[in-house]
Amino acid sequence: AQRMASEDVWDQSAYNQEMWRLAYADKAAAGVSTRVMNYLCFMNTKTLFRYMRHDEQLRDIAQHKPVSIHVNYHPEKELRMESIKDFYLNRKASALDAWNGGEGRNTHSCIGKVGLHTNSMPMLTEKELQGSRLARSIIEAAEEWEWSGRGPFRFGASGAFEASWARGEWGTVPSQWRKDSLYVRVEGEIYILMFLSEKWSFVALRCSDEQVTFGQLRSPDVPKNRLVW
């Protein structure tokens, strides 16, 4: 209560901080017992829309039904609540499909996914290359990669996606918030590859349906330099 009265702090943040804060100097710990609930049973809408609905077993109402869903992660709260009600109570199997994992309705494109506002991905040019440390690092390394067990593939210097199983293109993502990402267009789909800078691995989001896959260097010897920052 004292922090809420004297600081510009979100009430839930202050509550969580104080609950876990250790005793120090003359300040005693809160002394409350903490019970962490199963997040698949007492979930929020981030878990539901970004992860659980894509899992065959967890989205099967006969196998799993959450106790409660806190509609707190997305701005379209009332509309998403209607979709959740239709899915679980009215057994409408497609009720959740209208929404992105992030903000907005599902456009079956890259718009509205991971901070993107366009479905137009630029070809890799010298200008794009010079403006992206991530793209330069990958080309300079000239390493082979694998993706969800499929490999090898390479990020060609000309913007060609070179794999034994497919041919496509790759380039930088047109968003100031996605300096950690590249796009790959292959087999008629666009994927946003979000890289873990120090691990030389990535999480790939398929724009059409938000399917998540993973990739990494084929070599177990990860370069010491970071990919992005």
Side-chain angles (χ1 to χ4, degrees):
Q2 187 275 330
R3 289 190 62 190
M4 293 300 301
S6 60
E7 300 178 25
D8 182 19
V9 60
W10 187 30
D11 57 348
Q12 291 184 28
S13 295
Y15 180 87
N16 289 334
Q17 289 167 5
E18 293 303 314
M19 183 172 64
W20 292 97
R21 194 188 301 273
L22 300 175
Y24 65 94
D26 60 349
K27 181 170 177 57
V32 298
S33 298
T34 303
R35 180 183 179 188
V36 179
M37 311 294 280
N38 186 323
Y39 68 94
L40 294 176
C41 297
F42 300 85
M43 70 172 63
N44 69 358
T45 45
K46 178 178 181 179
T47 300
L48 174 63
F49 282 98
R50 296 192 68 175
Y51 307 108
M52 205 183 88
R53 65 171 169 166
H54 301 300
D55 186 289
E56 290 186 9
Q57 290 182 307
L58 293 176
R59 72 171 284 131
D60 183 351
I61 299 176
Q63 298 187 63
H64 179 78
K65 189 185 243 185
V67 177
S68 67
I69 300 174
H70 187 192
V71 187
N72 66 327
Y73 183 73
H74 300 91
E76 315 88 3
K77 300 185 188 308
E78 292 183 13
L79 294 174
R80 289 194 188 238
M81 287 175 69
E82 289 290 337
S83 296
I84 293 168
K85 182 186 75 173
D86 281 344
F87 182 77
Y88 283 107
L89 299 184
N90 299 331
R91 303 298 178 97
K92 185 178 177 181
S94 62
L96 305 180
D97 298 343
W99 300 102
N100 281 330
E103 275 187 42
R105 292 189 176 274
N106 191 353
T107 60
H108 301 288
S109 71
C110 294
I111 298 172
K113 312 287 172 61
V114 292
L116 299 183
H117 300 287
T118 180
N119 202 45
S120 177
M121 300 295 160
M123 294 286 291
L124 186 67
T125 63
E126 185 62 29
K127 180 179 179 181
E128 294 287 343
L129 184 59
Q130 292 306 312
S132 171
R133 177 179 171 182
L134 172 60
R136 294 197 311 273
S137 297
I138 285 179
I139 288 177
E140 290 167 4
E143 294 276 2
E144 289 188 336
W145 297 72
E146 59 184 29
W147 186 349
S148 289
R150 294 199 294 181
F153 76 86
R154 290 180 180 273
F155 294 95
S158 63
F161 177 82
E162 303 167 351
S164 58
W165 40 272
R167 288 289 186 270
E169 66 181 56
W170 70 277
T172 59
V173 173
S175 169
Q176 63 176 323
W177 311 114
R178 293 264 61 109
K179 300 298 185 184
D180 63 342
S181 301
L182 300 172
Y183 82 86
V184 168
R185 183 182 282 108
V186 64
E187 298 180 326
E189 299 277 2
I190 299 176
Y191 298 82
I192 305 301
L193 276 55
M194 296 165 281
F195 286 81
L196 304 175
S197 189
E198 73 282 0
K199 296 183 180 298
W200 286 63
S201 59
F202 61 82
V203 176
L205 180 83
R206 187 163 65 190
C207 286
S208 63
D209 61 2
E210 296 186 298
Q211 180 195 65
V212 174
T213 50
F214 305 91
Q216 61 188 19
L217 282 182
R218 295 200 82 196
S219 170
D221 300 319
V222 176
K224 292 184 180 181
N225 59 303
R226 297 170 67 87
L227 270 170
V228 190
W229 3 80

